[in-house]
Amino acid sequence: MTMKPNVTIYTKGYCPHCKATKALLSKKGVSFTNHDITNDPVRAKEMMARAKGRHTVPQIFIGDFHVGGNSDLRALNSKGALDAMLRNAKAR
Ligand SMILES: N[C@@H](CCC(=O)N[C@@H](CS)C(=O)NCC(=O)O)C(=O)O
């Protein structure tokens, strides 16, 4: 079965951390919903509400779990915890 985790990321066009996040998820074969908030204040507000006030991009969600930013994603990956979280967050 194809791994289809329910992953949502909020990004901006110029952001190198966002590119790194997309590259890591893509390398793992994970599909994700990307909200580019560069010119989208409504989505930006949604992101901040979901991310408990954090306003840097990217902000990453696996299912309803708030991972945080790119460095948080990488920390989970280094600990070996990311793949299991992605597996457990398959779209229902
Ligand atoms: N440690 C954060 C750094 C994220 C970061 O610095 N993002 C920049 C854009 S690349 C940012 O959001 N700057 C503030 C802003 O655009 O409001 C992460 O790994 O996600």
Side-chain angles (χ1 to χ4, degrees):
M1 193 170 80
T2 321
M3 193 162 78
K4 254 201 144 193
N6 179 18
V7 175
T8 306
I9 65 174
Y10 296 80
T11 62
K12 289 183 181 178
Y14 58 80
C15 165
H17 301 282
C18 302
K19 287 203 180 76
T21 286
K22 288 182 202 166
L24 178 60
L25 292 174
S26 297
K27 196 177 91 182
K28 289 182 176 293
V30 173
S31 61
F32 51 85
T33 302
N34 177 37
H35 295 307
D36 185 329
I37 63 166
T38 311
N39 293 303
D40 192 341
V42 173
R43 282 280 181 209
K45 259 184 115 169
E46 174 191 287
M47 180 192 87
M48 275 187 268
R50 290 186 74 186
K52 312 266 184 321
R54 282 177 69 174
H55 59 84
T56 58
V57 283
Q59 292 298 324
I60 302 146
F61 296 85
I62 299 175
D64 289 329
F65 179 75
H66 178 217
V67 171
N70 181 58
S71 49
D72 302 301
L73 185 73
R74 271 156 206 283
L76 280 177
N77 195 38
S78 303
K79 278 198 301 191
L82 182 58
D83 289 350
M85 288 178 66
L86 290 167
R87 268 198 305 278
N88 291 333
K90 280 181 202 145
R92 280 147 283 190

XYZ file of all heavy atoms in Angstrom:
725
model
N 0.849 -1.195 0.000
C 0.000 0.000 0.000
C 0.888 1.250 0.000
O 1.896 1.300 0.685
C -0.900 -0.022 1.233
C -2.005 0.997 1.152
S -3.233 0.765 2.463
C -2.416 1.546 3.836
N 0.472 2.247 -0.728
C 1.239 3.495 -0.761
C 1.106 4.218 0.574
O 0.032 4.251 1.153
C 0.693 4.442 -1.854
O 0.348 3.663 -2.971
C 1.709 5.480 -2.228
N 2.218 4.766 1.058
C 2.180 5.540 2.290
C 1.541 6.895 1.984
O 2.037 7.651 1.160
C 3.590 5.730 2.828
C 3.613 6.250 4.228
S 5.196 5.990 5.053
C 6.177 7.293 4.348
N 0.403 7.160 2.613
C -0.305 8.419 2.341
C -0.613 9.148 3.634
O -1.758 9.243 4.066
C -1.605 8.117 1.600
C -1.528 8.479 0.139
C -2.894 8.667 -0.448
C -2.885 9.772 -1.476
N -4.228 10.194 -1.839
N 0.418 9.648 4.291
C 0.161 10.315 5.555
C -0.534 11.651 5.351
O -0.419 12.275 4.302
C 1.549 10.504 6.156
C 2.489 10.322 5.050
C 1.792 9.719 3.884
N -1.256 12.025 6.380
C -2.020 13.254 6.351
C -1.117 14.388 6.854
O -1.159 14.749 8.014
C -3.243 13.024 7.248
C -4.123 14.219 7.333
O -4.050 15.113 6.497
N -4.956 14.261 8.356
N -0.273 14.891 5.972
C 0.735 15.876 6.360
C 0.405 17.230 5.730
O 0.123 17.300 4.537
C 2.146 15.426 5.911
C 3.181 16.509 6.208
C 2.522 14.118 6.593
N 0.427 18.257 6.558
C 0.188 19.617 6.072
C 1.366 20.503 6.446
O 1.831 20.457 7.590
C -1.084 20.217 6.720
O -2.169 19.322 6.511
C -1.423 21.565 6.119
N 1.843 21.282 5.478
C 2.906 22.239 5.786
C 2.491 23.637 5.320
O 1.737 23.779 4.356
C 4.266 21.838 5.161
C 4.219 21.873 3.639
C 4.684 20.451 5.628
C 5.572 21.616 2.985
N 2.957 24.629 6.068
C 2.744 26.036 5.723
C 4.107 26.608 5.366
O 5.072 26.450 6.141
C 2.140 26.794 6.904
C 0.761 26.325 7.311
C 0.607 25.190 8.103
C -0.378 27.015 6.906
C -0.663 24.757 8.485
C -1.649 26.592 7.284
C -1.782 25.464 8.069
O -3.036 25.035 8.447
N 4.191 27.254 4.208
C 5.489 27.719 3.713
C 5.382 29.121 3.109
O 4.283 29.648 2.934
C 6.020 26.767 2.621
O 5.100 26.767 1.523
C 6.197 25.354 3.142
N 6.547 29.683 2.809
C 6.611 30.901 1.995
C 7.561 30.629 0.851
O 8.484 29.806 0.976
C 7.098 32.092 2.826
C 6.077 32.576 3.837
C 6.566 33.806 4.582
C 5.527 34.253 5.598
N 5.997 35.427 6.382
N 7.376 31.361 -0.232
C 8.102 31.075 -1.465
C 9.611 31.163 -1.352
O 10.331 30.335 -1.891
N 10.104 32.162 -0.619
C 11.546 32.427 -0.621
C 12.309 31.648 0.440
O 13.509 31.797 0.587
C 11.796 33.928 -0.389
C 11.206 34.421 0.907
C 11.881 34.211 2.105
C 9.982 35.090 0.939
C 11.340 34.629 3.306
C 9.431 35.512 2.136
C 10.112 35.278 3.316
O 9.585 35.689 4.502
N 11.611 30.843 1.228
C 12.168 30.319 2.477
C 13.001 29.051 2.282
O 12.479 28.010 1.897
C 10.996 30.039 3.402
S 11.395 29.018 4.805
N 14.303 29.123 2.567
C 15.165 27.949 2.381
C 14.828 26.793 3.321
O 14.956 25.632 2.940
C 16.581 28.474 2.644
C 16.410 29.767 3.341
C 15.070 30.314 2.948
N 14.367 27.114 4.555
C 13.975 26.048 5.487
C 12.771 25.278 4.941
O 12.638 24.078 5.171
C 13.631 26.631 6.854
C 14.753 27.381 7.498
N 15.806 26.747 8.113
C 15.007 28.699 7.594
C 16.645 27.660 8.578
N 16.186 28.850 8.273
N 11.898 26.013 4.228
C 10.714 25.365 3.629
C 11.142 24.421 2.523
O 10.621 23.303 2.393
C 9.758 26.416 3.067
S 9.206 27.596 4.311
N 12.100 24.852 1.722
C 12.609 23.994 0.637
C 13.211 22.728 1.218
O 13.014 21.631 0.695
C 13.665 24.738 -0.181
C 13.088 25.806 -1.066
C 14.030 26.119 -2.238
C 13.446 27.207 -3.131
N 13.560 28.563 -2.528
N 13.938 22.887 2.324
C 14.577 21.724 2.953
C 13.530 20.751 3.482
O 13.681 19.530 3.369
C 15.496 22.198 4.077
N 12.454 21.295 4.064
C 11.369 20.437 4.568
C 10.726 19.666 3.424
O 10.530 18.446 3.506
C 10.305 21.300 5.292
O 10.837 21.702 6.552
C 9.021 20.531 5.524
N 10.410 20.377 2.347
C 9.776 19.713 1.186
C 10.694 18.633 0.626
O 10.240 17.554 0.244
C 9.470 20.742 0.093
C 8.338 21.674 0.426
C 8.101 22.596 -0.755
C 7.390 23.855 -0.338
N 7.441 24.902 -1.364
N 11.999 18.942 0.579
C 12.952 17.978 0.025
C 13.004 16.716 0.878
O 13.026 15.599 0.351
C 14.341 18.615 -0.079
N 13.011 16.879 2.210
C 13.080 15.704 3.096
C 11.819 14.851 2.962
O 11.896 13.625 2.829
C 13.277 16.144 4.553
C 13.318 15.003 5.577
C 14.470 14.041 5.289
C 13.443 15.545 7.000
N 10.656 15.503 2.977
C 9.397 14.741 2.854
C 9.334 14.046 1.498
O 8.943 12.874 1.415
C 8.188 15.673 3.049
C 8.007 16.248 4.458
C 6.879 17.272 4.479
C 7.742 15.149 5.486
N 9.734 14.752 0.452
C 9.690 14.154 -0.889
C 10.642 12.977 -0.992
O 10.327 11.950 -1.597
C 10.026 15.196 -1.954
O 9.055 16.213 -1.938
N 11.824 13.116 -0.383
C 12.805 12.022 -0.391
C 12.235 10.772 0.264
O 12.544 9.647 -0.130
C 14.075 12.483 0.347
C 15.288 11.615 0.082
C 16.520 12.155 0.785
C 16.650 11.551 2.162
N 17.809 12.076 2.907
N 11.372 10.982 1.251
C 10.740 9.850 1.938
C 9.502 9.356 1.198
O 8.825 8.443 1.655
C 10.349 10.255 3.364
C 11.534 10.425 4.287
C 11.089 10.776 5.691
C 12.279 10.840 6.641
N 12.924 9.527 6.855
N 9.173 10.004 0.073
C 8.009 9.577 -0.697
C 6.694 9.968 -0.051
O 5.655 9.382 -0.330
N 6.746 10.991 0.806
C 5.549 11.429 1.525
C 4.861 12.540 0.736
O 5.497 13.529 0.364
C 5.944 11.977 2.917
C 4.744 12.602 3.615
C 6.552 10.877 3.760
N 3.576 12.365 0.493
C 2.832 13.458 -0.139
C 2.295 14.365 0.973
O 2.052 13.918 2.092
C 1.698 12.916 -0.996
O 0.795 12.200 -0.195
N 2.151 15.630 0.650
C 1.715 16.580 1.682
C 0.908 17.692 1.044
O 1.031 17.963 -0.158
C 2.933 17.156 2.428
C 4.000 17.693 1.523
C 3.924 18.986 1.032
C 5.078 16.896 1.132
C 4.909 19.488 0.184
C 6.073 17.382 0.282
C 5.979 18.682 -0.191
N 0.089 18.318 1.859
C -0.630 19.509 1.429
C 0.206 20.712 1.795
O 0.605 20.866 2.950
C -1.999 19.609 2.143
O -2.741 18.430 1.840
C -2.766 20.831 1.695
N 0.515 21.535 0.809
C 1.335 22.723 1.050
C 0.483 23.980 0.951
O -0.144 24.224 -0.074
C 2.463 22.782 0.005
C 3.297 24.036 0.154
O 3.552 24.496 1.262
N 3.718 24.607 -0.959
N 0.439 24.754 2.041
C -0.203 26.062 1.988
C 0.900 27.111 1.916
O 1.638 27.297 2.888
C -1.053 26.302 3.239
C -2.210 25.370 3.374
N -3.147 25.178 2.367
C -2.606 24.572 4.393
C -4.052 24.309 2.773
N -3.744 23.919 3.988
N 1.009 27.765 0.771
C 1.961 28.879 0.632
C 1.285 30.131 1.177
O 0.301 30.615 0.604
C 2.342 29.058 -0.846
C 3.419 30.116 -1.029
O 3.472 31.080 -0.226
O 4.202 29.992 -1.981
N 1.799 30.636 2.300
C 1.142 31.775 2.972
C 1.801 33.108 2.629
O 1.527 34.117 3.281
C 1.092 31.580 4.510
C 2.507 31.519 5.112
C 0.295 30.336 4.879
C 2.519 31.672 6.635
N 2.666 33.118 1.602
C 3.359 34.369 1.235
C 2.365 35.530 1.097
O 2.602 36.611 1.620
C 4.112 34.203 -0.108
O 4.882 33.012 -0.050
C 5.016 35.392 -0.370
N 1.263 35.280 0.405
C 0.257 36.329 0.198
C -1.113 35.874 0.672
O -2.120 36.152 0.023
C 0.193 36.698 -1.293
C 1.466 37.362 -1.759
O 1.876 38.382 -1.202
N 2.110 36.780 -2.754
N -1.147 35.164 1.784
C -2.412 34.585 2.243
C -2.576 34.781 3.758
O -2.321 33.876 4.553
C -2.443 33.089 1.873
C -3.828 32.487 2.046
O -4.660 33.073 2.770
O -4.065 31.416 1.455
N -2.989 35.989 4.166
C -3.091 36.290 5.594
C -4.094 35.389 6.327
O -3.919 35.137 7.529
C -3.542 37.758 5.636
C -3.993 38.099 4.259
C -3.309 37.162 3.323
N -5.103 34.903 5.614
C -6.097 34.046 6.275
C -5.456 32.724 6.681
O -5.571 32.270 7.820
C -7.313 33.819 5.339
C -8.269 32.805 5.950
C -8.027 35.138 5.084
N -4.730 32.118 5.729
C -4.009 30.868 6.041
C -2.904 31.103 7.070
O -2.613 30.239 7.886
C -3.367 30.297 4.779
C -4.302 29.589 3.871
C -4.601 28.174 4.322
N -5.490 27.543 3.368
C -6.365 26.604 3.665
N -6.468 26.162 4.905
N -7.121 26.095 2.735
N -2.273 32.283 7.004
C -1.208 32.594 7.967
C -1.782 32.623 9.383
O -1.172 32.114 10.329
C -0.563 33.932 7.622
N -2.976 33.182 9.532
C -3.648 33.204 10.843
C -3.987 31.796 11.286
O -3.824 31.445 12.464
C -4.948 34.029 10.747
C -4.820 35.423 11.296
C -6.152 36.121 11.252
C -6.670 36.430 12.650
N -7.840 37.344 12.615
N -4.458 30.995 10.336
C -4.781 29.594 10.637
C -3.531 28.870 11.135
O -3.558 28.135 12.118
C -5.323 28.916 9.370
C -5.570 27.416 9.498
C -5.854 26.783 8.144
O -6.958 27.005 7.607
O -4.960 26.069 7.604
N -2.412 29.104 10.431
C -1.153 28.463 10.837
C -0.781 28.859 12.257
O -0.460 27.998 13.082
C -0.022 28.866 9.878
C 1.320 28.241 10.252
S 2.722 28.964 9.370
C 3.126 30.342 10.448
N -0.847 30.146 12.566
C -0.439 30.607 13.903
C -1.339 30.037 14.990
O -0.866 29.686 16.069
C -0.434 32.129 13.951
C 0.869 32.687 13.434
S 0.967 34.456 13.668
C 0.305 35.023 12.128
N -2.621 29.906 14.680
C -3.539 29.319 15.661
C -3.176 27.854 15.892
O -3.091 27.391 17.035
C -4.977 29.448 15.170
N -2.931 27.124 14.811
C -2.601 25.698 14.944
C -1.237 25.510 15.585
O -0.979 24.504 16.248
C -2.601 25.017 13.566
C -3.972 24.865 12.948
C -3.897 24.065 11.657
N -3.693 22.644 11.898
C -3.472 21.749 10.940
N -3.422 22.140 9.677
N -3.303 20.480 11.230
N -0.312 26.465 15.336
C 1.076 26.342 15.794
C 1.308 27.068 17.116
O 2.456 27.359 17.453
C 2.026 26.877 14.721
N 0.233 27.331 17.833
C 0.304 27.956 19.160
C 1.122 29.249 19.130
O 1.985 29.473 19.971
C 0.920 26.991 20.185
C 0.352 25.581 20.184
C -0.758 25.445 21.208
C -1.339 24.059 21.370
N -1.533 23.248 20.180
N 0.865 30.069 18.105
C 1.477 31.385 18.037
C 2.786 31.460 17.265
O 3.287 32.546 17.025
N 3.336 30.320 16.894
C 4.591 30.402 16.141
C 4.319 30.967 14.757
O 3.328 30.639 14.112
C 5.259 29.022 16.065
C 5.951 28.692 17.389
C 6.558 27.334 17.398
N 7.704 27.212 16.509
C 8.455 26.118 16.454
N 8.192 25.076 17.227
N 9.478 26.053 15.632
N 5.213 31.840 14.307
C 4.958 32.536 13.043
C 6.040 32.310 11.996
O 5.932 32.806 10.878
C 4.784 34.043 13.289
C 5.985 34.662 13.940
N 7.078 35.074 13.221
C 6.267 34.890 15.242
C 7.984 35.536 14.067
N 7.521 35.437 15.295
N 7.109 31.583 12.365
C 8.113 31.301 11.338
C 7.602 30.182 10.433
O 6.731 29.399 10.811
C 9.455 30.868 11.958
O 9.259 29.706 12.764
C 10.056 31.981 12.801
N 8.126 30.157 9.226
C 7.825 29.078 8.296
C 9.087 28.256 8.083
O 10.190 28.812 8.165
C 7.291 29.630 6.944
C 5.857 30.062 7.082
C 8.166 30.761 6.406
N 8.983 26.970 7.817
C 7.711 26.244 7.729
C 7.147 25.899 9.108
O 7.878 25.918 10.102
C 8.117 24.959 7.008
C 9.513 24.708 7.506
C 10.131 26.071 7.621
N 5.839 25.593 9.150
C 5.225 24.887 10.267
C 4.653 23.602 9.687
O 4.031 23.625 8.623
C 4.133 25.726 10.941
C 4.666 26.963 11.672
C 5.612 26.620 12.822
O 5.433 25.628 13.530
N 6.646 27.448 13.006
N 4.902 22.516 10.396
C 4.624 21.189 9.857
C 3.676 20.443 10.798
O 3.899 20.434 12.023
C 5.943 20.393 9.712
C 6.912 21.153 8.812
C 5.685 18.972 9.181
C 8.360 20.985 9.204
N 2.665 19.813 10.219
C 1.705 19.018 10.986
C 1.605 17.625 10.406
O 1.472 17.457 9.182
C 0.313 19.679 10.958
C 0.298 21.017 11.625
C 0.667 22.152 10.911
C -0.029 21.147 12.957
C 0.702 23.397 11.514
C -0.006 22.388 13.581
C 0.364 23.516 12.854
N 1.698 16.632 11.283
C 1.458 15.242 10.877
C 0.145 14.847 11.528
O 0.072 14.727 12.751
C 2.599 14.314 11.314
C 3.906 14.768 10.667
C 2.278 12.863 10.933
C 5.132 13.983 11.122
N -0.885 14.707 10.710
C -2.223 14.607 11.277
C -2.480 15.889 12.046
O -2.244 16.983 11.528
N -2.920 15.765 13.295
C -3.152 16.953 14.114
C -1.948 17.305 14.971
O -1.953 18.303 15.684
C -4.365 16.739 15.035
C -5.663 16.729 14.245
O -5.728 17.429 13.207
O -6.591 16.023 14.654
N -0.899 16.478 14.891
C 0.278 16.728 15.726
C 1.138 17.842 15.141
O 1.508 17.811 13.959
C 1.107 15.444 15.870
C 2.345 15.643 16.692
C 2.269 15.765 18.070
C 3.593 15.726 16.077
C 3.417 15.966 18.833
C 4.752 15.924 16.822
C 4.658 16.043 18.202
N 1.458 18.831 15.977
C 2.299 19.942 15.543
C 3.767 19.571 15.723
O 4.269 19.499 16.847
C 1.961 21.187 16.380
C 2.798 22.370 16.034
N 3.238 23.263 16.981
C 3.283 22.795 14.845
C 3.966 24.196 16.387
N 4.005 23.945 15.101
N 4.439 19.327 14.612
C 5.865 18.974 14.659
C 6.693 20.192 15.028
O 7.629 20.121 15.821
C 6.331 18.426 13.286
C 7.839 18.258 13.253
C 5.620 17.117 12.971
N 6.369 21.346 14.431
C 7.168 22.557 14.577
C 7.758 22.931 13.226
O 7.110 22.759 12.187
N 9.004 23.401 13.238
C 9.645 23.852 12.009
C 10.552 22.798 11.412
O 10.554 21.634 11.836
N 11.337 23.232 10.438
C 12.237 22.304 9.742
C 13.240 21.661 10.689
O 13.524 20.469 10.592
C 12.952 23.066 8.615
C 13.885 22.178 7.843
O 13.470 21.165 7.289
N 15.156 22.544 7.805
N 13.782 22.457 11.630
C 14.778 21.878 12.558
C 14.139 20.824 13.458
O 14.764 19.816 13.794
C 15.459 22.970 13.379
O 14.508 23.833 13.941
N 12.861 21.033 13.837
C 12.150 20.043 14.653
C 11.910 18.761 13.853
O 12.039 17.647 14.377
C 10.806 20.615 15.122
C 10.974 21.897 15.914
O 11.662 21.859 16.947
O 10.450 22.941 15.489
N 11.570 18.941 12.583
C 11.351 17.776 11.701
C 12.630 16.951 11.588
O 12.626 15.726 11.690
C 10.909 18.269 10.316
C 10.529 17.191 9.304
C 9.177 16.566 9.670
C 10.448 17.774 7.883
N 13.758 17.663 11.411
C 15.047 16.981 11.273
C 15.466 16.290 12.565
O 16.045 15.200 12.534
C 16.123 17.969 10.822
C 16.163 18.038 9.338
C 16.700 19.264 8.731
N 16.077 19.339 7.420
C 16.454 18.612 6.375
N 17.487 17.801 6.447
N 15.817 18.700 5.234
N 15.151 16.914 13.688
C 15.484 16.303 14.983
C 14.722 14.989 15.153
O 15.290 13.979 15.587
C 15.149 17.275 16.116
N 13.436 14.987 14.792
C 12.645 13.750 14.868
C 13.229 12.690 13.951
O 13.290 11.506 14.302
C 11.199 14.018 14.436
C 10.251 14.644 15.446
C 8.905 14.887 14.791
C 10.093 13.748 16.663
N 13.666 13.118 12.775
C 14.230 12.174 11.805
C 15.539 11.585 12.330
O 15.762 10.379 12.235
C 14.438 12.887 10.471
C 14.679 11.918 9.339
O 14.075 10.849 9.296
N 15.563 12.284 8.424
N 16.384 12.425 12.930
C 17.665 11.952 13.470
C 17.457 10.964 14.607
O 18.229 10.027 14.781
C 18.491 13.128 13.997
O 18.698 14.064 12.983
N 16.406 11.198 15.405
C 16.091 10.281 16.510
C 15.485 8.978 16.008
O 15.268 8.051 16.790
C 15.058 10.933 17.457
C 15.653 11.884 18.465
C 14.692 12.147 19.628
C 13.379 12.740 19.157
N 12.539 13.242 20.260
N 15.118 8.949 14.702
C 14.495 7.751 14.135
C 13.010 7.676 14.413
O 12.392 6.636 14.210
N 12.412 8.787 14.868
C 10.991 8.759 15.252
C 10.055 9.177 14.118
O 8.848 8.942 14.180
C 10.768 9.674 16.448
N 10.615 9.791 13.092
C 9.755 10.403 12.077
C 8.997 9.381 11.231
O 7.794 9.540 10.993
C 10.597 11.322 11.170
C 9.825 12.081 10.090
C 8.736 12.960 10.703
C 10.777 12.913 9.243
N 9.681 8.331 10.810
C 9.039 7.375 9.899
C 7.814 6.731 10.538
O 6.775 6.582 9.888
C 10.035 6.302 9.454
C 11.079 6.863 8.498
O 10.910 8.013 8.040
O 12.067 6.159 8.219
N 7.922 6.379 11.818
C 6.786 5.747 12.504
C 5.625 6.734 12.607
O 4.463 6.361 12.424
C 7.194 5.276 13.887
N 5.945 7.993 12.887
C 4.875 8.991 12.972
C 4.172 9.147 11.642
O 2.956 9.275 11.578
C 5.448 10.340 13.405
C 5.859 10.365 14.851
S 6.581 11.939 15.290
C 5.170 12.999 15.104
N 4.953 9.121 10.564
C 4.362 9.251 9.234
C 3.495 8.039 8.911
O 2.408 8.164 8.360
C 5.469 9.419 8.183
C 6.196 10.763 8.242
C 7.458 10.719 7.398
C 5.280 11.894 7.794
N 3.985 6.855 9.303
C 3.201 5.633 9.046
C 1.880 5.661 9.797
O 0.850 5.242 9.290
C 3.992 4.395 9.484
C 4.833 3.782 8.391
C 5.229 2.366 8.732
N 5.914 2.259 10.020
C 7.211 2.509 10.201
N 7.971 2.869 9.187
N 7.750 2.391 11.386
N 1.933 6.179 11.034
C 0.737 6.181 11.876
C -0.244 7.282 11.515
O -1.327 7.356 12.082
C 1.132 6.314 13.352
C 1.836 5.069 13.840
O 1.602 3.989 13.307
N 2.709 5.219 14.824
N 0.145 8.168 10.618
C -0.700 9.301 10.272
C -1.315 9.154 8.887
O -1.638 10.129 8.238
C 0.104 10.592 10.351
N -1.448 7.926 8.431
C -2.046 7.697 7.120
C -3.417 8.345 7.041
O -4.158 8.357 8.014
C -2.191 6.199 6.864
C -0.912 5.546 6.422
C -1.170 4.089 6.181
C 0.132 3.308 6.267
N -0.063 1.984 6.835
N -3.744 8.836 5.868
C -5.054 9.446 5.675
C -6.151 8.429 5.973
O -6.024 7.272 5.588
C -5.181 9.951 4.250
N -7.170 8.889 6.709
C -8.225 7.952 7.064
C -9.256 7.893 5.969
O -9.348 8.795 5.148
C -8.905 8.377 8.374
C -8.068 7.962 9.566
C -8.184 8.942 10.708
N -7.383 10.125 10.433
C -7.147 11.066 11.328
N -7.662 10.959 12.521
N -6.410 12.111 11.032
N 14.317 26.895 13.119
C 13.301 27.261 12.173
C 13.751 28.448 11.335
C 12.678 28.930 10.407
C 12.953 30.316 9.846
O 13.872 31.024 10.274
N 12.161 30.694 8.850
C 12.228 32.015 8.291
C 12.000 31.975 6.789
S 13.144 30.908 5.926
C 11.098 32.853 8.870
O 9.993 32.363 9.051
N 11.364 34.120 9.186
C 10.365 34.984 9.797
C 9.223 35.330 8.917
O 9.284 35.169 7.678
O 8.176 35.764 9.463
C 12.991 26.047 11.313
O 13.852 25.156 11.222
O 11.898 25.953 10.750
